Amino acid sequence: VLLGLLLVGLLGLLQVWVSIADAVQDRYTALPIEAFYYAFPVAAGAMLVRFILAQELALFFAMVFACLVGVMLGNSLAFGIYTLVGSLVAADRIVKAKDRVGIFRAGLVTGVANLIAVLFLFLVEGKGLAGDTVITAVCAFFGTALAVPVMVMALTPLIEATFGYASDIKLLELANLNHPALKELIVQAPGTYHHSIIIGTLVENAAETIGANPLLARSCAYYHDIGKGR
């Protein structure tokens, strides 16, 4: 359900964006229409899917979304490739984000990748490094580096509340030892509290060794005996 809603929502938003871009370009003819199109944050979907779900689903989403947006923009192979490249880089970089600054850092790296992708695609099409190419590349960079992290941070709490998922930022909040539930546990059952902290350290190291999510493992360990606080 989440993947379907996200896919339809982004495609609908892209359609609205294209309509607005066409209207604006009619008024400001000096700007190339591609600059408006490539400024759309196409990488936000895959980044969001990887941030909340898993890398396999992010890859699947990126491939489907790239094909559909390419068809929407007049069967544009270039825009489909651009979308796929940005989505894959965004999904890969968001894994390293453990806070809001990390999300913006992932957006910045994705923006650079999209800028380079636009330059290569326009060179392949024979447009060269003309002014329109540079303007489009710059718009692609800022559209990705700024809009993608903002969309991810805005939609993540909504998705967590609606679907019950827990992103790494949510897990960090739960793993904070100042959380009210953990503070209550140390008062009501201090032995269980210290036991949970030790287990958290053990499973975090184990998760890192086998390639699992260490933050998820540690958070679960902290709360696995939370009922003993009562």
Side-chain angles (χ1 to χ4, degrees), residues 169-207:
I169 291 181
K170 180 66 174 179
L171 292 176
L172 280 173
E173 295 174 356
L174 292 173
N176 187 345
L177 297 181
N178 288 322
H179 191 283
L182 296 178
K183 292 175 70 174
E184 179 182 351
L185 184 65
I186 195 174
V187 174
Q188 302 296 336
T192 299
Y193 173 85
H194 291 294
H195 157 74
S196 298
I197 299 303
I198 294 172
I199 295 298
T201 303
L202 292 174
V203 299
E204 183 178 28
N205 292 331

Side-chain angles (χ1 to χ4, degrees), residues 9-19 40 69 72-73 79:
L10 284 174
L11 291 175
L13 192 60
L14 176 60
Q15 185 61 52
V16 174
W17 179 267
V18 169
S19 300
F40 184 80
V69 297
M72 283 184 63
L73 269 73
F79 198 79

